[in-house]
Amino acid sequence: DPERVRMRVHHFSQAGGRPLDVIEWQGFTRAIAVFNAGQFYPDWQYMGLLASGGRWLSRRPHPGYHAALVADRRGPGLGGRVLDLSANTRDPDSLSWNEVAQSFMLFDRRGVVRVRNTDQEANRTVVAEDRLGRVVVFTSEGAYTLFGFAQLLRDSRLDLVHAMSMDGGLEAEMCVRSGRFA
């Protein structure tokens, strides 16, 4: 429930200037759950809009990415969401959220899968929103195509209304802390 749990976006430049794995991020942030959420260029620049704590780390929208994980709304409203940017502007100044991570939509509210059907398989991290407005994070243990994972989640009994891809390949990781176990 995004009204009860605070979501934050972090970038490695905020943690000593080198990329961290999810275990290191969990130790650095002390968060309940941590997952890799980004697409990066080879020079580690973020592909798309990225904001942390109200500060823009990347103000360049990616033209092919039509989704954003957002949290910490400026003003009244939900605590966190998955936004479909094809219906909303990608102008950073128009987004009223302090935490923003742009990526691409897997399927939208109409149930339309919005990724190509290729044979490229990898581990996947996905953020979705269900009909109750809860944000749900998935990291697969096995390899899926984006199209296949989108269909699997869309057709599941989880009552998801839309989902976006966050990371894939070896970087698709999640760490959840439960008591003393992480």
Side-chain angles (χ1 to χ4, degrees):
D1 181 349
E3 292 299 321
R4 297 177 52 200
V5 177
R6 185 170 186 210
M7 290 187 286
R8 293 288 317 258
V9 172
H10 292 282
H11 185 264
F12 74 88
S13 63
Q14 299 167 301
R18 71 171 180 81
L20 304 177
D21 65 30
V22 292
I23 303 295
E24 292 171 312
W25 273 117
Q26 198 285 321
F28 179 77
T29 63
R30 299 309 220 193
I32 295 169
V34 176
F35 58 94
N36 287 350
Q39 307 288 327
F40 292 89
Y41 293 109
D43 66 356
W44 297 106
Q45 296 263 348
Y46 192 77
M47 293 179 164
L49 299 172
L50 188 71
S52 175
R55 188 175 137 248
W56 287 104
L57 302 172
S58 172
R59 292 181 51 86
R60 293 174 297 162
H62 189 287
Y65 291 177
H66 298 286
L69 173 61
V70 296
D72 193 17
R73 188 172 182 90
R74 298 179 204 142
L78 298 173
R81 307 227 23 218
V82 173
L83 294 183
D84 185 341
L85 297 179
S86 66
N88 300 309
T89 181
R90 287 182 295 273
D91 172 20
D93 294 324
S94 70
L95 295 174
S96 57
W97 302 87
N98 289 313
E99 310 294 331
V100 178
Q102 184 184 18
S103 193
F104 50 93
M105 188 65 74
L106 289 180
F107 67 91
D108 60 28
R109 288 189 178 272
R110 298 174 319 226
V112 175
V113 175
R114 293 190 4 204
V115 291
R116 291 185 315 233
N117 191 1
T118 70
D119 60 357
Q120 185 174 357
E121 295 182 340
N123 293 349
R124 306 289 179 190
T125 298
V126 170
V127 176
E129 194 173 318
D130 72 8
R131 292 206 191 287
L132 298 176
R134 295 176 296 197
V135 175
V136 186
V137 182
F138 303 91
T139 299
S140 71
E141 280 191 28
Y144 290 86
T145 65
L146 283 170
F147 192 89
F149 206 39
Q151 286 182 312
L152 176 75
L153 294 174
R154 179 196 65 193
D155 299 341
S156 73
R157 295 182 181 173
L158 297 171
D159 213 14
L160 303 174
V161 294
H162 59 192
M164 65 182 286
S165 180
M166 296 307 290
D167 211 341
L170 296 175
E171 294 83 18
E173 300 176 306
M174 182 171 19
C175 177
V176 177
R177 182 170 39 93
S178 177
R180 294 176 45 173
F181 176 79

